[in-house]
Amino acid sequence: MIFDVLSLFPEMIEDYCNYSIIKRAVEAGVVSINAINPRDYTLNKHKKVDDTPYGGGAGMVLMPQPYVDAFESVKRLDNSCVIMLSPQGEQLNDKIVNELAKYEQIVLLCGHYEGFDERIRDIIRPREISIGDFVLTGGELPALCLIDAVSRKLEGTLGKIESADEDSFSNGLLEYPHYTKPREYRGLKVPEVLLNGNHKDISEFRLQKSIERTKTKRPDLYEKWLEDN
Ligand code: 4HQ
């Protein structure tokens, strides 16, 4: 999977991808993450990428030329999609993440501070995706959320130990509670069933806990799970 990320702060993308599981996925060749700076594509002698809005108002607007030229410099595979990170998009969830994991290439458009000149949308026609109903200073964190969530669905990213099939949402429920050593901490004991090695009992206990906590913490998810099960 190739991620090509258009960002005025490419180091934000590169730095994040240099840690932990994503770093390992890059090293293993499961994903390749390229950051492209639209500022390198400005035809303007001051390397300006934004300007004041026509019609007035606060803030700056990203000019079309640097973004469109940077976008057109990206070599596109047949099985690819283009995504703009924006609060106006459909909200990212596990279903969309699974869908995106089927592409061979994802091109991500990040803005910063300001909005995009509307003609960037008109010309590029990206799918718009939001990570939630709140406003950030830039699209880099949403792009990284998407890269991270999609990458961990790809074969070879997670090891056996971190396997994705017991994660929240994988079965429509939240994860069951986890425990490690010590067996007792500040008077709180690890549930006995987890210590006795009976795998059938352990599975039943965990499913029961998953159901309970989904019902209390996420009644919306619980209702959906009931319908599907
Ligand atoms: N942005 N989900 C980028 C967001 C956002 C979100 C605000 C996107 C600033 C320039 N993106 N612009 N929420 O808050 O995706």
Side-chain angles (χ1 to χ4, degrees):
M1 165 83 80
I2 299 169
F3 293 100
D4 291 301
V5 190
L6 270 62
S7 165
L8 295 172
F9 299 92
E11 293 87 355
M12 290 176 71
I13 306 299
E14 286 155 3
D15 287 352
Y16 179 82
C17 297
N18 214 1
Y19 292 92
S20 184
I21 295 171
I22 302 302
K23 180 192 175 96
R24 209 178 56 198
V26 171
E27 286 169 352
V30 176
V31 293
S32 157
I33 301 156
N34 314 306
I36 300 120
N37 192 344
R39 198 180 293 280
D40 295 338
Y41 290 81
T42 49
L43 297 175
N44 162 317
K45 66 172 176 249
H46 304 291
K47 293 195 164 199
K48 246 171 99 76
V49 292
D50 55 8
D51 213 325
T52 53
Y54 279 122
M60 300 288 271
V61 177
L62 293 165
M63 301 189 299
Q65 181 274 320
Y67 266 82
V68 171
D69 283 358
F71 173 73
E72 289 177 346
S73 80
V74 174
K75 286 221 179 8
R76 290 283 298 283
L77 300 178
D78 289 334
N79 180 22
S80 65
C81 78
V82 184
I83 295 171
M84 176 183 277
L85 289 310
S86 152
Q88 300 170 33
E90 53 180 333
Q91 194 165 321
L92 190 63
N93 57 33
D94 191 59
K95 182 167 169 263
I96 298 174
V97 168
N98 283 326
E99 199 183 296
L100 296 179
K102 293 178 188 144
Y103 289 105
E104 278 176 74
Q105 179 187 31
I106 298 178
V107 183
L108 297 161
L109 311 177
C110 308
H112 213 89
Y113 310 117
E114 55 281 277
F116 293 93
D117 182 302
E118 191 60 19
R119 291 164 295 182
I120 297 175
R121 286 186 177 88
D122 294 341
I123 293 166
I124 299 178
R125 300 223 147 266
R127 178 169 179 179
E128 287 185 70
I129 290 182
S130 167
I131 62 160
D133 287 344
F134 43 84
V135 181
L136 296 162
T137 57
E140 285 78 12
L141 287 172
L144 287 167
C145 288
L146 187 152
I147 291 170
D148 190 286
V150 171
S151 296
R152 64 189 288 297
K153 299 280 185 174
L154 303 176
E155 186 81 46
T157 294
L158 298 187
K160 224 184 157 73
I161 10 159
E162 307 129 342
S163 163
D165 37 79
E166 290 188 345
D167 281 332
S168 291
F169 310 114
S170 60
N171 59 357
L173 293 170
L174 300 179
E175 265 188 87
Y176 52 76
H178 301 276
Y179 296 91
T180 185
K181 280 152 220 161
R183 285 170 79 130
E184 185 174 340
Y185 180 68
R186 296 198 178 181
L188 300 172
K189 295 194 175 86
V190 174
E192 201 59 44
V193 60
L194 299 177
L195 307 173
N196 72 15
N198 183 328
H199 296 290
K200 188 169 165 286
D201 287 356
I202 292 171
S203 296
E204 266 168 35
F205 170 82
R206 286 177 168 169
L207 178 61
Q208 199 44 50
K209 289 288 174 193
S210 274
I211 294 169
E212 267 170 39
R213 60 167 47 178
T214 307
K215 194 173 175 183
T216 49
K217 293 187 183 188
R218 290 291 306 274
D220 57 322
L221 279 184
Y222 177 71
E223 289 304 324
K224 218 158 119 215
W225 177 81
L226 274 184
E227 284 168 30
D228 300 344
N229 285 271

